[in-house]
Amino acid sequence: MGSTSSTLAKIPNAEDLMQETGFTPAHLVRLYDRFKVLDKDKKGFLTPQDFVAIKELAMNPICDRIIGAFFTSGGETLDFPSFVRILAHFRPIDKNRPKEPTSPDPINSRSNKLKFAFQLYDQDKDGKISRHELLQVLRAMLEKQVTEEQLESIADRTIQEADLDRDDAISFEEFRKSLEKVNIDHKMSIRFLR
Amino acid sequence: TTQLSQGYRSFKPTELHCLRVWLSVVLGLIVLPAMFGVSLGFTDLYVKALVKTLEWATLRIQRGQKEEDAVPAHLPNGIIEKDDGSMEEEIGELRRSHPKSLAGGDFTLCDAFYFCKKGIESIVEDQVTQRFTSEELASWNLLTRTNNNFHYISVRVTIIWGLGVFIRYCILLPLRVTLAVLGLSWLVIGTTLVGLLPHSNVKTWISDLIHVTCYRICARALSARIRYHNKENHPKKGGICVANHTSPIDIVILANDGCYAMVGQIHGGLMGVIQRSMVRSCPHVWFERSEMKDRHAVAKRLKDHVADKTKQPILIFPEGTCINNTSVMMFKKGSFDIGATIYPVAIKYDPQFGDAFWNSGKYNMVSYLLRMMTSWAIVCNVWYLPPMSLQDGEDAVHFANRVKSAIARQGGLVDLFWDGGLKREKVKESYKEEQQKMYSSMIVGQD
């Protein structure tokens, strides 16, 4: 008589979603409930305004970029499967999963988590973080707290360290190399308590 | 005559007899003792039996959950794990693994991870929205409404659950509704009659008696078991009593132990009838909707009431909205600006027996009351805290926060700075600037 199974039935394509994202039924139901809570006007999809209404997100310095990661290609509506697919990036890495060379990387692999983070910087999606894009992120995170010269020198320094092929931009490979020692699983994962 | 008798349905003598027995049981065993403040101990026995049953049910469910992950013994406030570290600690950890050695300050690409993760966490669960949904239980309490994650149910537990449904809906619910109706009618009729008396000490005494007995009957109508702690700090006349707000039932809970002057908006309908009759016997502070907007008028009326030492202490819920009893949100400073002594009270409901939180977006008043009356019981603790007053050089906001912390600490609730009214409003830019300020101190250090 678990209410989980009855709510699961309300989610369209639940089985496929679970297969694709790796969420358990219980977690999928929680995300569905959350989706409905965020969708205050009961439209059936989310808009950027619904995200901005989350207080803790609105005070996050890179709030716009995080929201932008959900609404790719400029669309203004987010349905539940897309919502879950993005959040699947933040599932903890499955240590038990067998490594098959032919199957595609799961959404929450280390590589895909890094790609998600890379995307936050690389707004024009050309595969490189240019100096200009880096400055934009720094400006978002620091705004009025530092001067423009300080921002520029920080940007220059960062590119200098990470840019190995000296093309004045950080490619995904350089990004990955620069962060190879970081515990991505811990820092870019969200664990459900139940 | 046969046609006439076919048109009527006459009550059989046995039905009338049953009704008479029912009413006398209710009156004799519940209403009369309630009026005299005597407890026959039924509620205590009932609650003890409930506890044993729920423990048994929990054990059986846990036995069936062998394969699943163990349910954490201590129920946390939320569904996802959150790191408690400050921004400095978290980003520091991120940077420690970076090959370049940084002498405090400076930017690294992985800094964004911290903000990204915090952002995604708040999308999955945020502190404000979370406080407006019912608290989840670590183990199921045999009410369908709280069954979220417990899918293993054995046959025996199902039988007990079914029995529980029968008891709650067919036995307890009619009883409770009868009591509630009796209690409210008593209040309306009693206060109207008392209102006819001339002003005197006798009138005040009778009015208090009527109010208290009504609330006692209503408490029985909810199968409420209330424990009052530190009764020596009970609010006195001329003071203002503030408490955390979870539901309209808070009023019944507090008024069981003394008389308060209520503050609120005049409503229409049944509520309005009750309000208008209450004010005939003793002074309450009811406002018209238009008056509520004018803060000065409100403050003046409260001040006048408080200045009159013969009037009962005012009862105010400064959060302004119902919160789910896991936290205390920002107190509105209006009542702390009056200059009266504040008597803080902490109310904590035990969610195991029934969820008292009124989610006004989800349920209207009637469905909420029905839910209350079909729960097992309402068990709660009330702590009276020592009186507090405005200190020299302190402003109302600071004072309000001080009181809020005291209440949160006593009730074991999370002390939040968020405004409960925020569920309808936008966040101020200053919050974002604070985040940026904190981060910038890590980048450029103290220049």
Side-chain angles (χ1 to χ4, degrees):
Chain A
M1 152 187 347
S3 59
T4 324
S5 44
S6 58
T7 326
L8 201 64
K10 288 193 206 138
I11 305 174
N13 302 328
E15 283 298 326
D16 295 330
L17 268 178
M18 286 194 285
Q19 182 81 310
E20 200 185 326
T21 59
F23 281 118
T24 64
H27 296 167
L28 201 66
V29 166
R30 283 191 194 288
L31 289 174
Y32 187 66
D33 286 338
R34 178 66 175 169
F35 184 84
K36 282 198 290 179
V37 166
L38 291 175
D39 180 15
K40 295 197 186 78
D41 306 325
K42 311 240 177 302
K43 310 181 283 294
F45 55 84
L46 293 177
T47 61
Q49 285 72 32
D50 291 322
F51 279 89
V52 172
I54 303 172
K55 315 304 164 189
E56 287 169 24
L57 185 63
M59 72 178 204
N60 192 312
I62 53 170
C63 142
D64 299 319
R65 281 158 190 271
I66 297 174
I67 297 177
F70 282 87
F71 294 89
T72 51
S73 44
E76 291 268 313
T77 63
L78 184 75
D79 62 3
F80 180 65
S82 316
F83 179 68
V84 174
R85 270 181 216 121
I86 305 285
L87 289 179
H89 283 92
F90 290 84
R91 268 190 59 237
I93 296 178
D94 303 309
K95 298 192 178 49
N96 305 329
R97 215 186 173 103
K99 260 213 157 91
E100 289 157 46
T102 46
S103 69
D105 258 348
I107 299 184
N108 63 333
S109 69
R110 189 194 157 87
S111 176
N112 280 326
K113 285 184 200 278
L114 278 170
K115 278 200 194 126
F116 187 87
F118 188 77
Q119 195 196 357
L120 292 176
Y121 287 99
D122 179 22
Q123 291 284 287
D124 62 7
K125 309 228 185 314
D126 63 353
K128 287 182 187 303
I129 305 175
S130 66
R131 187 171 176 279
H132 173 69
E133 287 172 328
L134 187 57
L135 266 175
Q136 280 183 320
V137 177
L138 284 170
R139 231 174 261 131
M141 292 202 277
L142 295 165
E143 193 110 27
K144 306 176 197 134
Q145 309 301 328
V146 297
T147 64
E148 192 62 28
E149 292 89 49
Q150 279 170 316
L151 277 180
E152 303 215 353
S153 77
I154 292 171
D156 287 332
R157 233 183 320 200
T158 313
I159 295 194
Q160 215 179 16
E161 284 157 17
D163 185 15
L164 303 165
D165 63 5
R166 303 275 155 242
D167 63 350
D168 213 27
I170 304 176
S171 69
F172 180 64
E173 276 311 313
E174 289 162 350
F175 185 74
R176 188 214 288 268
K177 190 124 199 358
S178 160
L179 300 170
E180 63 189 348
K181 295 234 176 62
V182 176
N183 185 352
I184 300 284
D185 186 31
H186 185 214
K187 293 299 169 184
M188 290 279 278
S189 293
I190 294 182
R191 283 164 180 74
F192 278 94
L193 287 163
R194 264 176 298 151
Chain B
T1 40
T2 37
Q3 279 173 322
L4 269 174
S5 59
Q6 269 165 13
Y8 289 99
R9 182 192 177 279
S10 59
F11 280 110
K12 302 199 198 76
T14 39
E15 283 182 21
L16 269 176
H17 183 69
C18 277
L19 195 64
R20 234 182 288 148
V21 170
W22 169 251
L23 272 176
S24 32
V25 162
V26 168
L27 278 170
L29 286 180
I30 304 179
V31 174
L32 278 177
M35 289 172 64
F36 292 104
V38 166
S39 168
L40 287 176
F42 287 142
T43 321
D44 280 331
L45 272 175
Y46 171 61
V47 170
K48 281 202 190 94
L50 257 185
V51 168
K52 289 248 163 17
T53 319
L54 292 180
E55 275 174 11
W56 172 85
T58 310
L59 283 173
R60 288 211 77 89
I61 294 175
Q62 281 180 349
R63 240 184 270 166
Q65 273 186 331
K66 296 187 281 292
E67 297 100 43
E68 301 187 30
D69 301 281
V71 176
H74 190 65
L75 182 71
N77 275 324
I79 57 170
I80 53 177
E81 213 176 279
K82 290 213 178 115
D83 292 319
D84 276 334
S86 67
M87 189 195 283
E88 266 192 43
E89 287 169 18
E90 296 288 317
I91 298 192
E93 261 182 56
L94 268 170
R95 289 175 173 179
R96 226 172 284 137
S97 47
H98 202 265
K100 185 184 89 168
S101 60
L102 303 156
D106 223 2
F107 168 78
T108 46
L109 289 166
C110 56
D111 286 355
F113 289 10
Y114 169 77
F115 292 111
C116 176
K117 180 170 172 191
K118 280 273 170 285
I120 300 286
E121 272 176 0
S122 58
I123 290 176
V124 175
E125 174 180 69
D126 71 293
Q127 283 286 43
V128 177
T129 324
Q130 188 201 359
R131 305 296 166 185
F132 293 103
T133 55
S134 301
E135 189 182 350
E136 284 199 38
L137 298 169
S139 60
W140 191 38
N141 66 346
L142 295 179
L143 295 173
T144 322
R145 60 190 74 149
T146 53
N147 189 349
N148 255 322
N149 221 356
F150 310 107
H151 10 260
Y152 180 85
I153 313 284
S154 72
V155 177
R156 275 194 223 176
V157 175
T158 315
I159 293 178
I160 297 284
W161 171 83
L163 198 63
V165 170
F166 174 72
I167 294 178
R168 283 183 294 122
Y169 281 84
C170 302
I171 299 182
L172 290 178
L173 180 62
L175 174 66
R176 287 173 180 168
V177 170
T178 318
L179 283 172
V181 168
L182 275 173
L184 286 175
S185 332
W186 167 257
L187 180 69
V188 172
I189 297 174
T191 48
T192 316
L193 287 175
V194 169
L196 299 169
L197 293 175
H199 269 296
S200 63
N201 280 344
V202 177
K203 177 181 181 185
T204 324
W205 182 79
I206 299 183
S207 156
D208 287 353
L209 186 66
I210 292 183
H211 276 96
V212 166
T213 48
C214 159
Y215 289 122
R216 284 200 188 127
I217 298 173
C218 287
R220 296 285 192 284
L222 295 165
S223 296
R225 191 180 72 170
I226 314 167
R227 275 232 181 83
Y228 298 98
H229 305 263
N230 309 333
K231 280 200 185 185
E232 67 271 10
N233 294 325
H234 193 282
K236 302 195 176 46
K237 293 192 183 173
I240 299 184
C241 174
V242 304
N244 57 317
H245 201 25
T246 308
S247 98
I249 291 183
D250 291 342
I251 301 176
V252 172
I253 303 282
L254 287 179
N256 250 271
D257 194 39
C259 275
Y260 296 95
M262 310 284 167
V263 178
Q265 213 180 7
I266 282 259
H267 289 101
L270 179 63
M271 196 67 193
V273 171
I274 299 177
Q275 285 178 317
R276 270 178 268 269
S277 61
M278 275 169 79
V279 88
R280 274 190 214 122
S281 64
C282 83
H284 297 279
V285 189
W286 301 128
F287 291 104
E288 301 289 336
R289 193 178 202 115
S290 46
E291 278 181 281
M292 296 282 295
K293 307 269 172 74
D294 183 357
R295 270 201 220 151
H296 288 293
V298 170
K300 177 149 194 332
R301 274 188 71 177
L302 291 177
K303 269 199 195 124
D304 290 340
H305 185 113
V306 158
D308 186 346
K309 297 297 177 202
T310 62
K311 295 192 179 159
Q312 302 290 3
I314 300 182
L315 177 59
I316 289 189
F317 297 103
E319 280 164 315
T321 185
C322 291
I323 316 286
N324 75 348
N325 208 230
T326 58
S327 66
V328 185
M329 290 207 175
M330 190 172 97
F331 277 5
K332 305 221 182 327
K333 67 173 165 68
S335 15
F336 298 91
D337 226 352
I338 309 245
T341 323
I342 300 283
Y343 294 89
V345 177
I347 307 176
K348 180 83 177 103
Y349 292 90
D350 188 342
Q352 193 65 23
F353 299 98
D355 169 36
F357 167 56
W358 182 29
N359 191 340
S360 50
K362 218 171 165 190
Y363 305 105
N364 62 15
M365 178 65 97
V366 177
S367 18
Y368 168 70
L369 286 174
L370 265 176
R371 275 170 63 95
M372 283 300 99
M373 294 193 186
T374 55
S375 304
W376 290 120
I378 305 287
V379 175
C380 62
N381 284 300
V382 175
W383 287 273
Y384 293 110
L385 295 162
M388 292 172 140
S389 5
L390 196 68
Q391 285 171 348
D392 289 326
E394 197 180 28
D395 69 342
V397 175
H398 193 261
F399 181 35
N401 282 330
R402 204 159 50 91
V403 175
K404 172 161 72 81
S405 303
I407 292 182
R409 219 176 312 133
Q410 179 64 73
L413 306 164
V414 176
D415 188 0
L416 292 179
F417 69 94
W418 294 106
D419 181 354
L422 261 189
K423 62 182 174 178
R424 292 174 271 264
E425 289 160 25
K426 280 182 63 169
V427 159
K428 292 193 257 227
E429 268 303 304
S430 53
Y431 289 140
K432 196 189 236 189
E433 277 180 30
E434 256 186 67
Q435 292 276 302
Q436 289 167 333
K437 218 182 273 186
M438 268 201 280
Y439 181 57
S440 72
S441 67
M442 298 184 66
I443 304 283
V444 292
Q446 275 81 20
D447 278 345

